[in-house]
Amino acid sequence: MVDSAGKAAHRSSAVAEGWSVPVLFPPQRPRVVVKADLLPAVSVLSTAALLGIPMGWLWSLLAPAERVRVIGTNGQLAPLELESWHRFDDLAVFGFLAMATGLLIGLVVWFLRERRGPVVLVAAAGGALVAAWLGTQMGPAFANSKYSVDAPPALGAVLEQAPRIETGWVVLAAPLVTCLVYALMTAWNGREDLGRRLG
């Protein structure tokens, strides 16, 4: 009786420990491809950077101008009541455009299935950063040409001052959203090679 109970206990412990099947050829984990992705990464970076030109042009159309009054003969300007709020509006509009650009770059780069990986992600984030910086340069240039003053204004005249971007930190919105979108798509994919072999 004791012997049979010992055999049953031994059998149950073997089942609890589990059985392992020997694998002759264990599957290799996919490695990060660097060399083959360098040229596509350069293409991604340069193409994404060009989005800064339409982003700056669109910002110059959407950003509100600040109405100011000429209060001095030497060109001193003072904003009208509540008009100084447009300084924040200009920055917020550019921030939303930068985030939309980062979202677009992240999604498009993700659909390059055969090039998924950290190399193209770094290139996409760099392209988004360059695009946002280019937008901060081109946007005010477009706006200044739109609100240019041909003749010296008279004292007391009300002018529309071109919108401007007063901080450079807003350029970080585009690459941050690009990385966030790519990370979310990577987590949603769940494959070790991110589906590269299915391309």
Side-chain angles (χ1 to χ4, degrees):
M1 186 71 178
V2 176
D3 190 27
S4 62
K7 287 181 181 179
H10 178 69
R11 220 180 293 119
S12 63
S13 65
V15 171
E17 290 175 2
W19 297 91
S20 62
V21 178
V23 179
L24 297 177
F25 302 102
Q28 293 184 351
R29 302 190 75 166
R31 297 183 178 180
V32 176
V33 180
V34 176
K35 200 170 187 180
D37 287 352
L38 283 179
L39 188 59
V42 172
S43 301
V44 165
L45 192 148
S46 57
T47 305
L50 291 177
L51 292 176
I53 298 175
M55 179 169 59
W57 175 75
L58 190 59
W59 175 82
S60 69
L61 297 179
L62 296 176
E66 181 181 5
R67 292 193 303 165
V68 295
R69 187 184 300 277
V70 180
I71 59 172
T73 55
N74 56 353
Q76 292 179 343
L77 303 174
L80 299 182
E81 187 178 1
L82 303 181
E83 286 292 316
S84 60
W85 290 2
H86 290 320
R87 295 168 58 188
F88 172 77
D89 297 337
D90 300 337
L91 188 63
V93 168
F94 189 86
F96 282 120
L97 288 176
M99 288 191 290
T101 303
L103 175 66
L104 177 66
I105 292 172
L107 286 177
V108 170
V109 170
W110 173 255
F111 285 113
L112 300 175
R113 183 188 291 271
E114 296 181 1
R115 300 301 176 194
R116 289 176 182 170
V119 177
V120 174
L121 171 61
V122 170
L129 181 64
V130 175
W133 175 82
L134 189 59
T136 61
Q137 304 302 310
M138 298 300 295
F142 288 131
N144 288 335
S145 63
K146 182 180 177 182
Y147 294 99
S148 60
V149 178
D150 299 330
L155 186 64
V158 175
L159 305 175
E160 286 189 336
Q161 194 172 25
R164 57 195 183 273
I165 301 170
E166 298 188 2
T167 178
W169 289 103
V170 72
V171 300
L172 296 178
L176 286 177
V177 172
T178 298
C179 293
L180 178 62
V181 169
Y182 205 89
L184 289 175
M185 298 301 285
T186 301
W188 172 73
N189 180 268
R191 292 189 174 96
E192 289 186 350
D193 65 342
L194 302 181
R196 286 175 64 113
R197 288 176 294 184
L198 301 178

